[in-house]
Amino acid sequence: MSYTIDFKTLLTRLNEGTQVELNDMMRCREHRAMLQNVLFEKYHAPLLSFTLNTPGPIKNNSLLSDIFYIGIKSINAIFNNHQIHILQEHYSNEITGNEYICAFDGNADDVKNEAITLENTHPLGRLFDIDIIDPKGHKLSRQQYRSCLICNKQAQDCARNRTHSIEEMQLAILKLIKESNLIVFK
């Protein structure tokens, strides 16, 4: 049985977890780069890296894990729909957030386009951060920047300039989660 949950309860759930320090995030990025290099050397194939866009010091908890696994299901649907074989995959569940990396045998540009569509159209897609790296090690970029959840300006500019407070961003995320109707609370 599910019930309607209020923003205060949702905000409490979003803020559960261990606060992450900058050094934790740097170690996570170094580990990701090392894993990507290992997969490149082994397969010489494109890679997909998936994390969540989560502003603030809490990067992992049960609510964020639920969103992450919804994203994983959607990524798997892309691979299945296009008959793309996953060569090797790696999941991690650390205080720095959930992460999924895989090497696959499909066309990197096609998967990047599908990933952009997923990020733009899925009810929770704005929280998804899906990177595609081609077999030469180049990260494929979007043609258009992502828009800010709050003001619809370029998200990177808002992040760099710290235009919005963490609380404002969390409220926008909570609204997105609530409107998605994809998270069931028991």
Side-chain angles (χ1 to χ4, degrees), residues 31-166:
H31 182 262
R32 181 183 314 130
M34 180 196 68
L35 180 58
Q36 289 172 350
N37 286 334
V38 167
L39 291 174
F40 276 132
E41 288 177 22
K42 185 173 182 178
Y43 295 104
H44 305 286
L47 302 180
L48 179 144
S49 176
F50 170 56
T51 59
L52 295 178
N53 289 316
T54 52
I58 306 295
K59 302 295 183 188
N60 197 356
N61 57 39
S62 63
L63 178 59
L64 294 172
S65 289
D66 288 346
I67 295 166
F68 177 79
Y69 286 105
I70 288 170
I72 290 293
K73 283 183 181 180
S74 300
I75 290 168
N76 285 333
I78 290 171
F79 286 151
N80 290 334
N81 291 341
H82 294 278
Q83 300 177 340
I84 295 170
H85 179 68
I86 296 171
L87 303 170
Q88 185 174 339
E89 58 189 351
H90 173 79
Y91 294 87
S92 65
N93 182 359
E94 304 291 336
I95 62 168
T96 52
N98 289 291
E99 185 168 347
Y100 173 74
I101 298 176
C102 73
F104 61 92
D105 69 356
N107 179 284
D109 290 312
D110 292 346
V111 173
K112 180 60 180 180
N113 290 333
E114 291 290 332
I116 291 170
T117 298
L118 179 63
E119 290 173 339
N120 290 341
T121 62
H122 190 282
L124 295 171
R126 190 56 192 85
L127 304 179
F128 299 165
D129 185 10
I130 306 170
D131 291 329
I132 305 298
I133 303 162
D134 73 15
K136 295 178 182 174
H138 301 117
K139 182 178 168 185
L140 302 182
S141 299
R142 303 170 141 258
Q143 297 302 320
Q144 278 186 287
Y145 290 106
R146 293 181 93 168
S147 62
C148 173
L149 275 169
I150 298 169
C151 68
N152 289 323
K153 292 182 180 175
Q154 186 174 322
Q156 291 86 344
D157 288 345
C158 288
R160 181 178 42 255
N161 297 329
R162 297 182 187 255
T163 304
H164 311 290
S165 70
I166 291 172

